[in-house]
Amino acid sequence: MISQQTLKTSISCTGVGLHGGVDCVMTLHPADADHGIVFKRTDVSGKDPLVPARWDMVHDATMCTRLQNPDGVTVSTVEHLMAALAGCRIDNALIEIDGPEVPIMDGSSEPFVLLIECAGVRKLPAPRKAIRVLKPVSASDDKRHIALSPDDHFSVNFEIEFDSAAITEKQLDVKLVNGTFNEQISGARTFGFMQDIDRLRAAGLGRGGNLDNVVIVDGDRILNEGGLRFKDEFVRHKILDCVGDLYLAGAPILGRVDASKSGHLFNNKLLRELFADESAWELVEMTPEMAAADHDHPLLAATA
């Protein structure tokens, strides 16, 4: 049996929210089997403070993924943490947070992966389940497209398009097995463009952003000291976001994602299309064959 997993012990971090610019404390706690990933707003009273990390709780997907429970309690910018939980195979956790937004840390999932590794991982006496894709589903408009099709593992093929000479690597295809996410994707940081900063802040977004937690592109230049972590850091981060958004399915997905210019909104639309068609998926207990590492799959391109 492939077992569900949780944390061995509780662990905390502090940081600022990328969009609200508010400092917060976040604590990851172990949870029992079949609990799932659930946020708890410790600063909320008089309302239900629990916000399940599920696709049907996504209330807004403008520049980040925001969850909202029926009482109107929200937690935003959950995608980087959800990606780390997916990469570390954490099925169950209670995440206490004393503010409305998950801290941005360095703009990637790597600090959360390190946090989980420090806490340790514990197996639970219950089988791990996966969502097996049975037939293709998709979501698209005139500019963006994302599709999910049957596959034995979870893989993502992502293409981006930005009008900047600084963004040269625009496509990446990766099978997320054998620790690939933690080793090759988790360190890719979120990014933004210098010409958009004033507009975003006027809209109440990006108030916690700086060169320590966002890669800033100005024309054909990268403003961050040290430049990029990977020559294809931009598309790696879009894959990171996709992994986190799709982990809101409530279980790992066995299927292939093909995406072009997709973002948080269409990542969620894809899940809504999937679950709207009961013939497109099935919930299965994971077997050793499903969980087996594919050692023949080549690692990603070398770093810059």
Side-chain angles (χ1 to χ4, degrees), residues 233-253:
E233 186 165 4
F234 302 97
V235 69
R236 290 195 197 207
H237 186 79
K238 296 297 283 187
I239 289 174
L240 184 158
D241 280 344
C242 185
V243 169
D245 287 338
L246 295 190
Y247 203 48
L248 294 171
I253 291 174

Side-chain angles (χ1 to χ4, degrees), residues 99-172:
E101 187 175 14
V102 172
I104 190 61
M105 311 304 280
D106 72 347
S108 78
S109 288
E110 192 170 58
F112 298 130
V113 169
L114 295 174
L115 203 68
I116 294 165
E117 289 177 346
C118 286
V121 177
R122 176 167 59 91
K123 293 185 182 298
L124 295 167
R128 191 174 204 224
K129 297 178 181 179
I131 296 163
R132 189 205 304 271
V133 178
L134 300 178
K135 69 180 188 182
V137 294
S138 63
S140 62
D141 64 9
D142 292 340
K143 297 179 179 179
R144 298 161 290 187
H145 177 77
I146 185 167
L148 188 57
S149 56
D151 201 351
D152 292 334
H153 296 285
F154 182 48
S155 59
V156 180
N157 176 37
F158 212 107
E159 181 181 9
I160 60 175
E161 184 62 47
F162 293 101
D163 186 19
S164 170
I167 302 176
T168 58
E169 303 289 331
K170 300 183 178 181
Q171 187 271 336
L172 184 61

Side-chain angles (χ1 to χ4, degrees), residues 73-91:
V73 177
T74 64
V75 181
S76 64
T77 320
V78 302
E79 56 272 12
H80 301 171
L81 174 59
M82 292 302 300
L85 292 166
C88 295
R89 300 178 183 175
I90 299 296
D91 304 289

Side-chain angles (χ1 to χ4, degrees), residues 265-292:
L265 176 63
F266 275 78
N267 296 342
N268 184 250
K269 283 179 177 288
L270 182 66
L271 290 182
R272 292 179 183 272
E273 291 292 333
L274 176 69
F275 291 118
D277 185 350
E278 293 184 358
S279 69
W281 61 280
E282 63 177 348
L283 191 64
V284 298
E285 290 188 7
M286 292 194 74
T287 65
E289 291 75 22
M290 292 176 189

